[in-house]
Amino acid sequence: MTTTSDLTSANSAKKTISVSDLTSANSAKKTISVSDLTSANTTTNKKSVSESGHAKNVANLQSLIAFVTAYGASYNPSKNALKLPQLTALATASQASLGDVVTKNTAFNNKTNERAEAFSNLKPLATRVVNALQITDATAKKVEDAKGFNQKLQGSNKSKKIETLTDPNAEAPKTISTSQQSFDQQIQHWAGLISVVQSETSYAPNETDLKVAALTAKQTDLTAKNNAVATAYTAISNSRIARNTLFYKEETGLLDVVADVKKYIKSIYGATSPQFAQVKGLKFSNKI
């Protein structure tokens, strides 16, 4: 009897623990899975809207124009901006504006990549310059000054992600002020290091890339490439402003014009008409 009771009790406890554990584990597993998938989908959707919203507006404008064209003479608004020729001109201008943003964006990324390449060997090169100075007749104080500039250069942007080569099709950032300041500082520290070795008459390395002339040329190249990034960023920023004005300016922008076109179609054909049903489903995203 004792053996049977003990076995029954043990088996019951064993089953209870097993079911409880499995239920708890499965619940946790399902909760984590749903949460992760929801989060991932939300992130993906946000990215998708950001990258395609403007182009989708142009595509839907083209669809709207196709419907309007098919209405023939019955589509005859008094407001000039709603007339078919004006809508066609708006579509052409919008498409050109999108293309300009893409072109300027690619140019910015190319200039950023050129700068990244130019700066990629700066820090190790600076260390080599200091090492070369140490084996000259330079005073300890002069070597210390050179080391100081090198330390500042090595520490530039230390806590930030180092700029790497970029996909030419990647979207340009909304601002580059922090990044630009970091490169400005590196150029400044490099110029300081050059001034130290330039003042030392015994600094005359045989290595071409360590000679003062080469160091100065490097500074000129870094400055030019850094300025080119700033110029390219101004171009993409202005292109975005022009696009946003064309698309989203109140009353005259693409979104307000198509909203009025839909209202006009609704007024002449009726809210339940098949013509209005054609256009009311065309979605236009607000400024992103």
Side-chain angles (χ1 to χ4, degrees):
M1 290 179 64
T2 302
T3 302
T4 303
S5 175
D6 289 346
L7 287 172
T8 302
S9 177
N11 288 336
S12 297
K14 189 174 183 180
K15 288 179 182 177
T16 302
I17 292 170
S18 177
V19 172
S20 175
D21 288 350
L22 285 173
T23 302
S24 176
N26 289 335
S27 297
K29 190 173 183 180
K30 288 179 181 177
T31 302
I32 292 171
S33 177
V34 172
S35 175
D36 289 349
L37 286 173
T38 301
S39 176
N41 288 336
T42 301
T43 302
T44 301
N45 289 339
K46 285 182 178 179
K47 182 177 180 182
S48 176
V49 170
S50 177
E51 292 175 352
S52 64
H54 307 296
K56 188 66 175 177
N57 286 339
V58 176
N60 284 342
L61 174 59
Q62 297 286 9
S63 297
L64 180 65
I65 291 173
F67 287 130
V68 167
T69 301
Y71 298 153
S74 63
Y75 181 85
N76 188 27
S78 58
K79 188 174 181 179
N80 190 56
L82 308 188
K83 295 181 182 296
L84 185 56
Q86 280 64 41
L87 293 179
T88 302
L90 177 60
T92 301
S94 299
Q95 191 64 56
S97 181
L98 284 183
D100 187 67
V101 170
V102 170
T103 299
K104 298 294 196 309
N105 190 83
T106 301
F108 169 78
N109 286 335
N110 287 340
K111 293 302 179 184
T112 300
N113 287 341
E114 290 173 9
R115 180 177 67 179
E117 185 67 28
F119 275 81
S120 64
N121 71 334
L122 184 62
K123 293 181 179 182
L125 181 58
T127 299
R128 290 177 59 209
V129 170
V130 172
N131 291 337
L133 180 65
Q134 287 181 297
I135 57 174
T136 67
D137 297 330
T139 63
K141 180 63 171 66
K142 189 170 290 187
V143 172
E144 182 182 345
D145 289 343
K147 286 182 177 180
F149 284 117
N150 186 36
Q151 287 173 355
K152 290 178 181 179
L153 198 155
Q154 300 296 334
S156 297
N157 210 25
K158 185 175 180 180
S159 62
K160 302 179 182 65
K161 186 177 180 181
I162 298 174
E163 184 177 60
T164 55
L165 298 183
T166 305
D167 178 357
N169 297 316
E171 186 175 356
K174 303 303 179 186
T175 178
I176 61 167
S177 58
T178 302
S179 173
Q180 195 72 13
Q181 288 173 6
S182 171
F183 287 104
D184 290 341
Q185 290 170 357
Q186 289 186 62
I187 293 172
Q188 182 179 354
H189 300 325
W190 178 250
L193 179 58
I194 293 175
S195 68
V196 173
V197 298
Q198 207 168 20
S199 69
E200 177 53 52
T201 56
S202 66
Y203 180 84
N206 292 323
E207 293 74 22
T208 303
D209 61 339
L210 297 182
K211 293 180 181 295
V212 172
L215 304 182
T216 303
K218 179 72 171 177
Q219 180 185 348
T220 301
D221 183 58
L222 295 176
T223 301
K225 285 183 168 57
N226 194 40
N227 290 341
V229 171
T231 300
Y233 180 77
T234 299
I236 178 60
S237 179
N238 287 339
S239 183
R240 283 171 172 164
I241 290 172
R243 176 202 59 199
N244 291 343
T245 299
L246 181 63
F247 281 43
Y248 309 112
K249 186 178 181 180
E250 291 186 10
E251 297 185 8
T252 62
L254 184 154
L255 258 64
D256 281 5
V257 170
V258 298
D260 286 346
V261 170
K262 288 183 177 182
K263 290 174 184 175
Y264 176 69
I265 293 172
K266 184 178 181 180
S267 72
I268 60 175
Y269 294 114
T272 59
S273 66
Q275 289 86 354
F276 182 62
Q278 286 177 323
V279 301
K280 72 177 182 179
L282 295 175
K283 303 299 182 182
F284 293 85
S285 302
N286 203 349
K287 184 177 179 181
I288 299 170

